[in-house]
Every structure is written in structure tokens, then in C-alpha cells.
Amino acid sequence: MLVFILKRVLFAVITLLVASFAAFALMHMSGSTPGAVVLGMGATPDDIVAYNESIGWYDPWLVQFSNWVGGVVTGDLGISLIDGRDIGADIAKRLPVTAALAIGGTLVSSLLGITFGVIAAVRGGVVDRIITAFSGVFLSLPQFWLGIILVFVFAVQLRLLPATGYVPLEVDPARWFASLILPVITIAITSAGFIARQTRASMAEALAQEHIRTLRALGTHRLRIVYVHALRGASLPILASVAIQFIVLFGGSVIIETLFALPGIGQAMQAAVGASDLPMVQALVLVATLVVVAVNVAIELLNRFLDPKLRTS
């Protein structure tokens, strides 16, 4: 197990370096330079060149990338070209917003998707067809459309929840929870459809296994067969689908954060790309890649814990 963990950590480091260098190269090939962004439209070409030279923009790429990696290792992600803010501090402030959105959306969608997926596989017949149809509808709903509908109903008409804005947890826990309800429901409904379909398929396959039929013949209680033996057998693909949804929700939160005015990572990425804030874009790519790699490693470790065949392979 220790060798496996060391291999995964090494692979994760390589992945982070490759993703960061790809973002670094794309930023350099975009045609924009830090001097043009910082000095603005009124700057002369000589001023822009002088600024770029002062920060080493014309140094070889490997030198610049090595300097950036050295800064990251020591906790220095640089400063924003737009407003001079410390990028590390800004990301640390935004990360809890996106994390709360992704974790909340994953928990709610997993609860709904796994519950209805199990019911569809166990009950079958009309119940299965109804749940499968609704999961397909939820899966195809555009998030921005669903978000607008929820805001109109629960914020504008019923005045039960805030339409936009975010309240930090440390400021007011109740208002923090209220500010996340509509965004979380919006992203959870579409994800629940995906998880329900994966759960239904995995459970149907697990319930058809030979050892499940043996347990039925031995008179084992139905709930024990479904929720202990069959659900455990179907857990690996279900966990994979939940992990995929978390990654999708974390990396694809731009629309939801923009719609509900949440100051998260997705909103920062949109602003940084639009303003050619190269250091910010590179730092956000690093954070997003780190989350994806960490989730994948965690899921692989959990899979090996649940499946003895993987531990001995």
C-alpha cells in the first residue's frame, strides 16, 4: 500500500507540473504581456517592453517556469496584474465559497441519486421507468435556466431565500446556509440525475449476481441483501460517478457563481481570463488541477479499501 501511495503522489506531482506548464505556455502564446495589462492603453511600447524586462518576461520559458515553481513551493503565487492583490490570499478567500458549493451539491445529489437509483433497481417495473424518465429530464436541464426559475419562485415570489450574494460562515452561519441553498439545489438536481442512472445500473447488475441469489435462497432479510451485500458490490462505480460529479461541480461552477453572485474560484477564473491576468490564471489552474488529482487519489484509495481484489493486485 505504501508503494502504491508513493506512486500516486509522484504521478500527482507530475500531473500538476504538466498542467501548470501547459497553462504557462498558453498564456505566453496568447499575445498579451504583463506590461500591456498593468500599464494599460496609454502606455507606450517602450514602457511596456521596459516593464516586461523588469519582471523577466523575456527570459527563457524554463527559467521563468522554474522561478514560478520555486515561488509556489515557498507559498508565493505572485500578485494580480489587475489590482496588485496577493494571489494566494485571494484564492484562500475564494476557495471556501467554491468548496462549499461543490461539497454541498455533491452531498445533496448523492443522497437523491443513490436513493432513487436503488429504489429503481429494487422495485423495477413502473417505478423504475418513472425514476429513469425523471433522471433523464433532470440530467438535461440547463443549470442557468433552473437557477433562474428557483430564484423567481423562492426569492422573488415567496421571498424565502436570498436571490444572490454570499455571507461567510464566520460572519453569520444561518445567513451563510441560506445563501447556499438555491445554488446548491440548482447544481444538485442535474447531478442527481447522473448519479441515479449510474446507481440504478450498478445495483441491477449487483442484484443479478450469483451470491445474491444464494442469499435469497437462504432466506436472508431483503433489506440486508439490498443495503449491505448488493449496495457494497455496486459501490465502486457509484463512488466513481460521485467523484466525477464533485470534479465537474468544482471546475464548472462559473455559471452558478456568476448567476448567484458568489465570489468563488469560478468567478475569479472568468475575470482573470477576461482581463489577461496571467499569474492569476496560472494559479487558478494549479488549484483546480490539485483538487482533481486529490479527489482521484482519494477515490483510488477508497476503492482499494472496499475491493480486496484491488488490494492484492
Side-chain angles (χ1 to χ4, degrees):
M1 179 61 82
L2 181 59
V3 174
F4 172 78
I5 294 175
L6 290 176
K7 286 182 178 178
R8 298 309 299 163
V9 170
L10 177 61
F11 181 74
V13 172
I14 294 173
T15 303
L16 289 172
L17 288 173
V18 171
S20 298
F21 187 78
F24 170 82
L26 288 174
M27 290 297 100
H28 270 262
M29 292 186 292
S30 67
S32 179
T33 67
V37 175
V38 172
L39 301 179
M41 299 291 291
T44 65
D46 290 340
D47 292 337
I48 293 174
V49 170
Y51 181 88
N52 290 336
E53 286 179 343
S54 68
I55 63 172
W57 181 254
Y58 301 119
D59 291 345
W61 281 16
L62 284 179
V63 174
Q64 294 185 53
F65 186 69
S66 299
N67 292 336
W68 181 80
V69 172
V72 171
V73 171
T74 59
D76 181 14
L77 294 175
I79 60 172
S80 169
L81 298 180
I82 305 304
D83 50 22
R85 287 177 298 173
D86 182 85
I87 292 176
D90 191 40
I91 291 178
K93 187 177 178 182
R94 292 176 177 274
L95 194 57
V97 181
T98 302
L101 193 61
I103 293 173
T106 303
L107 289 176
V108 174
S109 62
S110 299
L111 179 64
L112 294 175
I114 293 174
T115 300
F116 285 104
V118 169
I119 292 174
V122 173
R123 298 291 297 276
V126 176
V127 175
D128 180 19
R129 288 194 288 274
I130 292 175
I131 292 177
T132 301
F134 271 96
S135 64
V137 172
F138 291 153
L139 190 59
S140 59
L141 285 177
Q143 287 186 346
F144 70 92
W145 178 85
L146 182 61
I148 291 173
I149 296 297
L150 291 176
V151 167
F152 178 76
V153 174
F154 292 100
V156 178
Q157 296 296 322
L158 301 178
R159 299 181 182 277
L160 295 176
L161 297 167
T164 59
Y166 176 78
V167 178
L169 176 63
E170 62 274 16
V171 173
D172 189 332
R175 291 176 61 201
W176 168 80
F177 182 75
S179 68
L180 288 174
I181 290 179
L182 290 183
V184 165
I185 291 177
T186 302
I187 61 176
I189 286 180
T190 54
S191 298
F194 176 81
I195 296 175
R197 288 200 163 193
Q198 181 61 62
T199 302
R200 185 252 177 211
S202 301
M203 279 296 292
E205 185 177 347
L207 289 170
Q209 296 294 317
E210 183 66 30
H211 71 282
I212 296 296
R213 290 197 292 269
T214 302
L215 290 172
R216 284 173 175 157
L218 293 174
T220 305
H221 196 280
R222 185 185 182 191
L223 292 180
R224 183 173 179 80
I225 292 176
V226 172
Y227 292 103
V228 176
H229 298 283
L231 189 56
R232 180 168 185 174
S235 61
L236 296 186
I238 295 174
L239 282 173
S241 66
V242 171
I244 291 172
Q245 288 308 297
F246 177 79
I247 292 171
V248 169
L249 295 181
F250 190 92
S253 59
V254 177
I255 296 176
I256 298 303
E257 290 181 4
T258 302
L259 179 63
F260 290 99
L262 302 175
I265 296 294
Q267 194 182 67
M269 178 65 85
Q270 182 191 32
V273 171
S276 298
D277 193 347
L278 310 185
M280 178 64 88
V281 171
Q282 197 168 348
L284 291 173
V285 169
L286 175 69
V287 172
T289 307
L290 181 61
V291 170
V292 173
V293 169
V295 171
N296 283 329
V297 172
I299 290 299
E300 286 193 28
L301 292 175
L302 189 57
N303 285 343
R304 293 175 74 87
F305 173 76
L306 293 173
D307 190 346
K309 295 179 181 177
L310 292 177
R311 289 199 296 271
T312 56
S313 64

